[in-house]
Amino acid sequence: MPEEMINEPLHHPGDSDFVVVSNRLPVDRVSTEEGDGGWRRSPGGLVTALAPVMATQDGAWVGWHGAPDEELAPFHHENIDLVPVPLSAEEVELYYEGFSNSTLWPLYHDVIAPPEFHRTWWDAYRRVNKRFAQAAANTAAQNATVWVQDYQLQLVPRYLRQLRPDLRIGFFNHIPFPPQEIFAQLPWRQSIIEGLLEADLIGFQRASDTANFLRSARRFVGAGVKSAQIQVKDNEGNVVHIARAAPFPISIDVGQIQELAGRKDVIARSRQIREELGNPKTVLLGVDRLDYTKGITHRLKAYGELLHDCELTVEDAALIQVASPSRERVETYIQLREDVEGMVGRINGQYDTMQNTAVRYLHHSYPVEEMVALYLAADVMLVTALRDGMNLVAKEYVAARGDNTGALVLSEFAGAADQLKSAILVNPHDIDGLKSGILRAVNLSPAEAGRRMRAMRRQIVNNDVQRWSSEFLAALQKEATPV
Ligand code: F6P
């Protein structure tokens, strides 16, 4: 019996025909130190994308509610059945901050920070993945569809298949899947691939992520790969399961962003933002989780040099940088915050005047209404990620620009670059290239800006998140045909 087999008894099926499983629920518990112990929207692109899908679909969402050492019964929130999975404070440290965000996260993002490998973290990852699988098994009805999300839960398809062979299981990886040569570093690479291969369909953001995964499946478990179908064999070499892998680039709720972008109060707020900045000629905007993958320091370096070279002045241009707090107890994030805040302080110290500030740095997260007001206020959006699964902020900016004005500077290392080809594409490691990309965006003629924005908007409007989920779920229902 493989090491990963679960021996817990099979539970009676639940009554949900459709179950989403992700590390976080769409809402997070506000700690009593920060507020009243109520709920707030969880951070990140996964929730941004899946919340509107679940709002229009009957189903249950299984995930952690963001507070350690707290067991909660299933509850109903904004029309969705939520099934909380408890995590102890120690599991938050070992499984979430440790294996998920200090091993897998840097490993899957081009080792921008060095990944750490600890056996105690891996043990916690397995234990917690079993718990999520068990919760999904208890929630899903007979022959239900279960859609497992992201790198924190890569063993769930396997554990779930053992508990509930009747289920149709999909998996979607929201972050990049690394090249085989980098994935090879992971001591538990074989178990991770075996965990994923028990899904019927494994979705990735980019074609390159899919190709990376298929190469690793071939190399580390000797799976037979033919036309993106992966044959899982038993010890005698008999094919026992066929998994499929394919790219499904995720998107946003275009209708919601467009609706907000047309609302009077949101438009008034965007004008107010510009006025509060002193009505500069150009407002530049960066919106990111405070994460080292987002290239915030590269962006600040380029911006600081443009001020130094007098290519931009604080009278003519203002940069707003929203950096929402993230993974605040993880060492690399603590260090990043120091670096970013040090750079902002130095740039502002050098270039601010009594009237103007070079960088408005906002270490907060904001409701979507305020985000859309910021998108409307910004002439130039800067997305300079060093590596990013997709980057939904880039897509939200485009969706908000209904009058086809504005310019998007977009890193070629963000998944969104595969779809938003009319953005000003940059390599954020190339500071001179980044500087000229920013200047090009600032000085874009209205005709060229309009041409680029129209092309990007066509792409986004035709490919919203509802289409993403329905295409994934339709593909998941198809039978694999042996090739
Ligand atoms: O989309 C990538 C992702 O890591 C999600 O899985 C996650 O929920 C989100 O970003 C935010 O990160 P975290 O849940 O660690 O705060």
Side-chain angles (χ1 to χ4, degrees):
M1 185 182 282
E3 184 223 349
E4 309 293 352
M5 212 59 151
I6 313 184
N7 295 315
E8 281 111 351
L10 178 71
H11 281 235
H12 293 299
D15 54 11
S16 292
D17 289 320
F18 179 60
V19 180
V20 161
V21 191
S22 65
N23 173 57
R24 275 187 196 277
L25 285 175
V27 282
D28 241 5
R29 196 86 159 136
V30 181
S31 78
T32 33
E33 287 147 41
E34 291 172 65
D36 59 357
W39 297 93
R40 70 173 161 222
R41 195 186 179 96
S42 301
L46 185 156
V47 167
T48 304
L50 277 166
V53 171
M54 288 301 277
T56 55
Q57 187 146 7
D58 264 354
W61 192 327
V62 173
W64 177 47
H65 52 281
D69 292 325
E70 188 183 38
E71 296 223 12
L72 292 178
F75 64 104
H76 205 69
H77 184 88
E78 290 180 358
N79 251 346
I80 313 175
D81 289 332
L82 302 183
V83 182
V85 177
L87 292 182
S88 68
E90 192 192 25
E91 286 164 345
V92 172
E93 199 181 321
L94 304 180
Y95 147 79
Y96 169 71
E97 295 170 344
F99 199 78
S100 296
N101 289 319
S102 302
T103 304
L104 294 173
W105 182 267
L107 188 75
Y108 283 32
H109 286 88
D110 285 358
V111 293
I112 297 166
E116 288 183 48
F117 304 112
H118 299 294
R119 285 162 288 181
T120 47
W121 292 2
W122 168 244
D123 291 343
Y125 185 80
R126 286 168 51 209
R127 193 168 64 243
V128 170
N129 270 243
K130 279 183 191 166
R131 190 175 308 146
F132 275 83
Q134 190 69 63
N138 294 348
T139 307
Q142 193 69 28
N143 300 323
T145 296
V146 178
W147 195 2
V148 184
Q149 311 288 326
D150 230 358
Y151 63 102
Q152 302 96 339
L153 302 178
Q154 292 173 101
L155 303 178
V156 168
R158 176 168 204 171
Y159 294 144
L160 191 53
R161 180 76 67 201
Q162 290 163 1
L163 290 165
R164 293 287 305 276
D166 59 297
L167 299 175
R168 179 128 321 226
I169 304 173
F171 182 92
F172 186 77
N173 201 50
H174 291 251
I175 68 171
F177 196 88
Q180 179 219 295
E181 293 76 6
I182 289 181
F183 186 67
Q185 291 180 18
L186 186 66
W188 308 281
R189 61 202 186 186
Q190 186 181 337
S191 299
I192 293 285
I193 299 282
E194 286 171 350
L196 291 169
L197 284 180
E198 288 299 327
D200 295 291
L201 178 64
I202 307 153
F204 296 93
Q205 300 281 26
R206 300 180 101 159
S208 54
D209 300 318
T210 313
N212 288 344
F213 173 73
L214 291 174
R215 282 189 71 211
S216 281
R218 205 180 275 130
R219 159 114 187 253
F220 299 122
V221 304
V225 176
K226 282 184 202 152
S227 321
Q229 298 208 145
I230 310 128
Q231 300 175 332
V232 181
K233 296 177 187 153
D234 64 12
N235 292 342
E236 277 81 52
N238 305 312
V239 177
V240 288
H241 173 65
I242 298 177
R244 285 164 295 142
F248 293 89
I250 202 167
S251 192
I252 53 161
D253 186 351
V254 176
Q256 183 207 25
I257 300 294
Q258 285 182 327
E259 195 256 315
L260 287 172
R263 234 169 64 182
K264 279 199 184 108
D265 56 330
V266 177
I267 296 169
R269 173 67 189 140
S270 78
R271 292 210 181 99
Q272 187 187 15
I273 290 169
R274 287 191 76 102
E275 268 159 35
E276 284 172 1
L277 292 170
N279 272 323
K281 210 164 94 210
T282 310
V283 174
L284 301 103
L285 174 67
V287 175
D288 310 86
R289 271 188 313 104
L290 188 45
D291 193 299
Y292 52 83
T293 58
K294 304 290 184 185
I296 302 170
T297 53
H298 296 63
R299 186 181 312 161
L300 289 172
K301 188 168 175 57
Y303 193 66
E305 287 191 17
L306 288 170
L307 292 173
H308 175 265
D309 304 342
C310 302
E311 300 272 17
L312 295 176
T313 65
V314 290
E315 287 76 27
D316 281 349
L319 170 62
I320 305 174
Q321 176 63 57
V322 176
S324 50
S326 187
R327 305 174 190 168
E328 289 187 282
R329 299 188 329 169
V330 175
E331 189 48 45
T332 37
Y333 290 75
I334 296 171
Q335 185 57 50
L336 174 74
R337 182 169 178 193
E338 278 176 24
D339 293 347
V340 167
E341 294 184 355
M343 281 180 91
V344 169
R346 279 191 292 278
I347 294 172
N348 285 348
Q350 204 161 344
Y351 301 105
D352 279 6
T353 62
M354 287 299 175
Q355 291 84 35
N356 300 100
T357 295
V359 185
R360 305 283 166 143
Y361 168 75
L362 304 156
H363 186 238
H364 304 291
S365 37
Y366 292 100
V368 63
E369 291 79 5
E370 181 72 359
M371 295 315 306
V372 174
L374 282 165
Y375 297 145
L376 291 179
D379 305 289
V380 176
M381 181 83 211
L382 300 175
V383 176
T384 59
L386 305 180
R387 178 56 76 192
D388 208 334
M390 177 52 63
N391 197 293
L392 295 182
V393 163
K395 294 192 173 182
E396 286 183 346
Y397 179 70
V398 170
R401 308 296 302 192
D403 60 0
N404 294 315
T405 61
L408 173 65
V409 175
L410 177 60
S411 164
E412 61 190 79
F413 301 116
D418 279 7
Q419 289 107 54
L420 301 178
K421 295 199 168 82
S422 297
I424 296 176
L425 293 175
V426 291
N427 166 6
H429 296 282
D430 169 9
I431 299 297
D432 285 336
L434 185 50
K435 285 163 68 180
S436 33
I438 295 172
L439 281 183
R440 193 154 166 220
V442 168
N443 297 316
L444 216 55
S445 72
E448 189 183 349
R451 185 183 58 71
R452 287 173 180 267
M453 191 56 79
R454 258 191 300 280
M456 291 193 285
R457 286 181 55 76
R458 255 198 308 279
Q459 215 293 330
I460 299 287
V461 169
N462 290 331
N463 293 285
D464 66 1
V465 75
Q466 281 79 8
R467 179 162 180 190
W468 167 79
S469 72
S470 53
E471 285 185 354
F472 183 95
L473 293 172
L476 177 58
Q477 297 315 321
K478 282 195 194 136
E479 290 302 330
T481 40
V483 282

